[in-house]
Amino acid sequence: MIKVTLTKNPKSKPQCDNLVFGRNFTDHMFMMNYNPEKGWHDARIIPYSPFEISPSALVFHYGQAIFEGMKAYKGKDGTVTMFRPRDNFLRMNRSADRLCIPQFDVDFAMQALAKLIETEKDWIPQAEGTSLYIRPFIIATDPCLGVKISDTYAFFIILSPVGSYYKNGFAPVSLYVEDFYTRASSGGTGEAKCAGNYATCLKAEQKAKSLGYDQVLWLDGKEKKFVEEVGSMNMFIVIDGEVITAKLDGTILPGITRNSIITVLKDKGYKVSERSLSIDEVLSAQKQGKLNEAFGTGTAAVVSPVAKLCYKGTDYIVGDGKMGKITNMLYDTLTGIQKGKYEDKFGWLFKI
Ligand SMILES: Cc1ncc(COP(=O)(O)O)c(C=O)c1O
C-alpha cells in the first residue's frame, strides 16, 4: 500500500525552453523506510520538502548512499513512456548489495515509480530534448559515529523536469584523459552507483574544466593505460570500423544505455568489441587517420559525440572533429525508440 498525501501548495512549473538540468523539482516525492523489524515499510508519496535527519546519520560520515538515474518522456498524444526502468532498479539492488544496504522488491519499486509519475504527469515537459529525470536513492540513517553497517535506511524517488544535460546541447565534447587521479580499481566500488564514486571524481573534473576540457576520460586504476569511462557516461571508440568499449570487469558502471547501444550495433551488423583498449592504441590510430569516432553513452545525454582528447598536454582531434555517422545513427535510433518514432523491437519501453 502506498499512502498518498498531496501538497496544498503546488509550485508553478518552469518554462520548457529554459530547463537547466536537475535544478527544478516536482511537487511530490516517494519515500519509504527500512528497519530490521519491519523491513522496507511506510511507503508513501508526500509533498517534496526538506526532511529531518540526525546530523550523526551514517550517510554523512561514512558514505553509505546509492542512487539511480532514469527518464520519462511524454509523447504528443500524452502517453508517458520510460526506457528500461526495471534494469535501473535491478542495478540499484546490485549497488545496494555492494554497499551492504538491504535489497528492496523491484516490482514494488516499479509500482511506486508508476504511481509517483502518474501523480506528477503534468510536470513532464514535451518540448524536443526535454524529459522528466527520475532520481531514486537510498541513504543510511542510523545516528551513530563509528564505522558500521547501518540498521536503518530511507529510500526516496525525486523527479526533475530537464532539458539537455550539457549546456551546449548536442555539441561534441572534449575529454581530458586523466593520468594521475583514479576513479576505481579492481575489487573497489567502480561498478556500483554509489555517491562516493562521484565525490572521488570531482578533483580531476575540476582540473579538466580549468584546462578548458568538458569532462574526464578515466583510465584503469592499476596501470593508467586502458580506457574505462567518462564521468557519467560509458565510452565508445570507433577505430577502423570496429566499435570498441571497455568490458565489464567491475571497475566501470554497467550502463543501460551502453547495453542498448551494443544491442543496436550488433542488430545492425556492426563489429562491436567489449575489450581492453589502451590509450596508446587510440592515439596511434589517430595518427594513422583510423580514429573514426568517439562517443559517450548515458541516460542523461543518451549519446554524446567526442571531438577532442587531451593526453599528457597534447590535443588529438577525433575523426574530422564533428559528430560521426555511427554516433548520429545511434542517437537517432535510441531517441527514436524512446519517442516512439521507431519500433520498440527489443521491448525496452515501459508505458505508464
Ligand atoms: C559512472 C557512470 N558511467 C556510466 C553511466 C551511464 O549509465 P546509464 O546508461 O545506465 O545511464 C553513468 C550514468 O548513470 C554513470 O554515472
Side-chain angles (χ1 to χ4, degrees):
M1 236 287 276
I2 302 170
K3 193 176 163 212
V4 180
T5 310
L6 295 179
T7 182
K8 292 195 175 71
N9 304 304
K11 294 180 274 202
S12 59
K13 299 185 178 58
Q15 293 288 324
C16 264
D17 52 2
N18 194 20
L19 285 170
V20 182
F21 195 95
R23 294 295 168 87
N24 300 287
F25 300 97
T26 67
D27 282 325
H28 301 90
M29 63 185 185
F30 170 81
M31 194 177 169
M32 63 180 173
N33 298 87
Y34 180 92
N35 67 31
E37 298 75 44
K38 294 187 184 167
W40 287 109
H41 64 279
D42 205 7
R44 57 212 187 265
I45 289 172
I46 51 176
Y48 178 96
S49 68
F51 56 94
E52 262 194 21
I53 183 166
S54 167
S56 61
L58 284 171
V59 64
F60 297 131
H61 308 278
Y62 312 113
Q64 226 188 332
I66 56 169
F67 65 100
E68 270 303 327
M70 43 186 144
K71 281 175 170 176
Y73 306 89
K74 193 189 262 181
K76 288 198 180 76
D77 61 352
T79 17
V80 179
T81 312
M82 293 195 58
F83 189 69
R84 308 184 68 177
R86 216 186 145 76
D87 291 311
N88 287 88
F89 283 130
L90 289 168
R91 182 170 70 188
M92 195 168 176
N93 257 342
R94 293 198 301 275
S95 301
D97 179 59
R98 181 64 182 81
L99 275 277
C100 297
I101 292 171
Q103 299 285 293
F104 57 86
D105 185 298
V106 168
D107 291 323
F108 183 73
M110 289 288 289
Q111 267 178 44
L113 177 60
K115 200 168 175 110
L116 180 64
I117 292 184
E118 181 64 37
T119 310
E120 301 292 62
K121 60 180 183 301
D122 293 345
W123 279 87
I124 310 177
Q126 268 173 305
E128 183 63 30
T130 63
S131 57
L132 187 71
Y133 186 77
I134 299 155
R135 168 56 55 87
F137 63 102
I138 300 177
I139 54 171
T141 53
D142 272 16
C144 168
L145 297 183
V147 182
K148 72 168 198 96
I149 298 172
S150 188
D151 286 324
T152 60
Y153 297 86
F155 179 128
F156 298 81
I157 306 176
I158 57 174
L159 306 175
S160 172
V162 296
S164 175
Y165 186 61
Y166 298 113
K167 57 177 186 312
N168 299 340
F170 198 45
V173 296
S174 59
L175 302 182
Y176 182 84
V177 184
E178 178 56 51
D179 63 349
F180 176 74
Y181 296 111
T182 56
R183 174 188 176 273
S185 58
S186 177
T189 56
E191 68 183 342
K193 207 161 165 63
C194 59
N197 282 353
Y198 297 82
T200 302
C201 294
L202 295 175
K203 192 80 182 164
E205 282 164 6
Q206 184 185 46
K207 180 172 86 178
K209 291 225 163 78
S210 74
L211 294 169
Y213 299 92
D214 297 309
Q215 295 216 39
V216 171
L217 174 58
W218 293 100
L219 300 177
D220 72 285
K222 193 171 174 203
E223 297 180 70
K224 305 221 176 60
K225 189 171 162 194
F226 298 102
V227 172
E228 297 229 309
E229 63 181 325
V230 187
S232 54
M233 296 191 292
N234 293 110
M235 185 72 195
F236 286 76
I237 295 189
V238 188
I239 296 179
D240 206 12
E242 178 191 8
V243 188
I244 309 159
T245 193
K247 60 180 182 296
L248 299 179
D249 63 357
T251 57
I252 64 165
L253 193 83
I256 289 153
T257 321
R258 173 191 180 278
N259 176 275
S260 313
I261 291 284
I262 293 172
T263 307
V264 167
L265 284 167
K266 286 188 178 160
D267 182 61
K268 290 188 185 286
Y270 286 88
K271 183 175 179 210
V272 197
S273 311
E274 294 176 68
R275 68 166 174 90
S276 301
L277 172 64
S278 71
I279 188 69
D280 289 345
E281 184 182 342
V282 176
L283 301 184
S284 94
Q286 197 269 356
K287 285 173 195 147
Q288 295 166 46
K290 291 182 177 169
L291 177 58
N292 312 134
E293 301 182 31
F295 54 92
T297 68
T299 298
V302 187
V303 177
S304 183
V306 173
K308 188 163 71 179
L309 300 172
C310 172
Y311 183 60
K312 293 194 189 289
T314 307
D315 282 349
Y316 298 84
I317 300 297
V318 178
D320 59 4
K322 300 198 183 82
M323 181 171 26
K325 280 202 185 78
I326 298 178
T327 313
N328 196 16
M329 176 281 289
L330 288 167
Y331 181 80
D332 179 63
T333 306
L334 232 61
T335 54
I337 293 174
Q338 288 168 348
K339 299 266 166 71
K341 180 170 134 198
Y342 299 129
E343 183 202 346
D344 174 27
K345 63 194 270 192
F346 307 106
W348 286 334
L349 298 188
F350 173 77
K351 287 210 162 45
I352 294 191

